[in-house]
Amino acid sequence: DALGSGLSLAEPDSYGHGPVRGAVVIEAGLGGPDAVRQLLAAIPEGFARPILIRLALEGGRYDRLVKQMTRATAAPVNVAEDGQTAQAGSIYFVPPELGIRQRGGWTFDASLAFDPASLPAGDSAVLFLSGADAARVAAVSGAGWSEGLVLGQTPDEGCYDPAAAQAAIAAGAGHGTPAELAAKLLARWSTGGAAPDPDPSGMLQP
C-alpha cells in the first residue's frame, strides 16, 4: 500500500504510454495556405492528434504564416524544430528538411527524410490539398495504408493545383472541401468539445 500510494495509472491515450499514436499530415503547396486556413478554422481546440503541415515556402519564412493561422484556430500553431516532440492538439508547420521519428512520441529529426508511411496507418491521416506534390501520394496508397485515412481536396475553383488531390482520389481517397475534410477528421477523433464557428473567410468568430 505504501509503495502504491504515490502512483497513478498512466493515461492510456497519452504519447509515450500504451500503443503508438498517430498524427495528421497535411500536404499542400500552391493555393494551399487558404485551404489550410479553412481546414484549421473547423478544428476545435483539444484535437486528439498532432497536425503536421508540410507546405514549402519560398525563402522558408513561416513566421507570417504562423501568425495568419493563429487567427484561424484556437489551437497552438508553431514551426517545427529539430528535436521537438509533437504534442497532441498542436499544429506544426514542418520545414522540408525535417523528418519524424518515434521516440516516446513523434519527434522532428533533421537527419531523416519525412516519410508519412512511418506513421501507424490505423491511427493517422494524410490530406492532400491544393499544390501538394503528387509524387507523395504513392507512399500512402499501398496495402500497408489500407487502414489509414487518406483524403484529397475536391478539385474545384478553390483548388488551384489539384494534381495530388486527383491522384489520391483516383487511388480511393475520400474528398471534400477543406471544411468537409476537417469534419472527417473530427468524426475519426472526437474532441468532445464544441465545434468552432468560423465565418465564410475561415476566421474564427469572436
Side-chain angles (χ1 to χ4, degrees):
D1 289 346
L3 283 174
S5 61
L7 301 178
S8 62
L9 293 176
E11 167 56 51
D13 198 43
S14 65
Y15 283 77
H17 301 284
V20 175
R21 303 295 170 182
V24 173
V25 176
I26 298 175
E27 298 276 0
L30 178 65
D34 189 52
V36 169
R37 183 175 63 247
Q38 293 177 47
L39 190 152
L40 295 182
I43 298 289
E45 188 176 9
F47 184 68
R49 298 292 178 267
I51 297 178
L52 316 181
I53 303 171
R54 289 175 27 89
L55 197 164
L57 290 179
E58 192 172 330
R61 294 294 302 275
Y62 289 93
D63 48 349
R64 184 177 299 177
L65 190 58
V66 166
K67 290 180 181 179
Q68 182 184 35
M69 297 304 166
T70 298
R71 295 179 54 210
T73 177
V77 183
N78 307 279
V79 179
E81 298 179 358
D82 185 32
Q84 182 182 25
T85 298
Q87 301 296 321
S90 292
I91 297 162
Y92 301 89
F93 281 91
V94 184
E97 68 272 13
L98 287 185
I100 50 172
R101 72 163 67 240
Q102 173 59 218
R103 188 182 294 162
W106 292 101
T107 300
F108 299 109
D109 191 330
S111 70
L112 297 174
F114 192 95
D115 180 12
S118 66
L119 293 165
D123 195 54
S124 298
V126 179
L127 282 63
F128 294 94
L129 304 185
S130 178
D133 184 351
R136 296 173 182 163
V137 174
V140 292
S141 297
W145 257 79
S146 60
E147 296 181 357
L149 181 62
V150 181
L151 302 170
Q153 182 180 353
T154 300
D156 59 14
E157 67 275 6
C159 189
Y160 299 101
D161 180 0
Q166 288 173 330
I169 294 167
H175 61 92
T177 65
E180 289 169 343
L181 299 183
K184 293 178 186 293
L185 295 178
L186 294 178
R188 182 140 187 178
W189 294 285
S190 173
T191 63
D197 185 19
D199 67 21
S201 68
M203 296 294 107
L204 291 177
Q205 296 283 9

